Amino acid sequence: MDTGQLQALIHSADTAEKMHAIAQSYLEGTVLQDSVAAEAWLLRAIELGDSVESVRAMGTLAKLLGKTQILPPSELPELRRRLETATGQEKILLEALLELNNHSDTYEKTLQK
């Protein structure tokens, strides 16, 4: 991605997926490496509440902040119980949260989906 492509993406950033892509570009230093800008874009992506992309942004932010688990262990049993009966978007969200929380290898696979 070059400067023009990044700027165009910034101007059209109306989805969590685009915001996450901008953050990833800043983290990778494609045009400019800036972890503060990356964090800001990740927070914007999270705030949109997209059931999959917001969760991926949470995982990227957690990694940026040096965390490998994004949920406290005390919440995991309840999330697993809810997953047993969840359907639709709730099921997708719960699966993504639990997968991101497992460990960094699983986290990387989730981000690449």
Side-chain angles (χ1 to χ4, degrees):
M1 182 179 316
D2 64 23
T3 306
Q5 291 170 320
L6 179 58
Q7 194 61 52
L9 189 57
I10 288 170
H11 287 304
S12 69
D14 56 356
T15 66
E17 184 177 16
K18 288 178 183 178
M19 292 173 187
H20 189 222
I22 294 165
Q24 199 64 45
S25 177
Y26 279 121
L27 287 174
E28 293 169 357
T30 306
V31 175
L32 173 69
Q33 190 162 22
D34 186 342
S35 60
V36 175
E39 185 176 341
W41 280 104
L42 290 169
L43 290 171
R44 287 181 68 183
I46 292 165
E47 287 174 4
L48 289 181
D50 179 285
S51 61
V52 176
E53 290 301 326
S54 292
V55 173
R56 287 185 180 147
M58 274 189 255
T60 302
L61 181 60
K63 185 178 180 185
L64 176 64
L65 299 175
K67 306 288 183 187
T68 56
Q69 288 192 317
I70 61 172
L71 300 169
S74 60
E75 289 184 22
L76 296 177
E78 176 60 24
L79 291 176
R80 288 187 185 109
R81 275 192 295 277
R82 284 179 52 197
L83 181 60
E84 291 174 8
T85 58
T87 60
Q89 291 295 330
E90 181 184 16
K91 183 174 183 170
I92 293 169
L93 174 61
L94 291 172
E95 287 173 341
L97 279 170
L98 289 168
E99 189 172 344
L100 281 172
N101 197 65
N102 283 339
H103 53 78
S104 60
D105 291 341
T106 303
Y107 161 78
E108 290 298 331
K109 290 176 191 169
T110 301
L111 287 180
Q112 294 171 2
K113 286 184 181 176

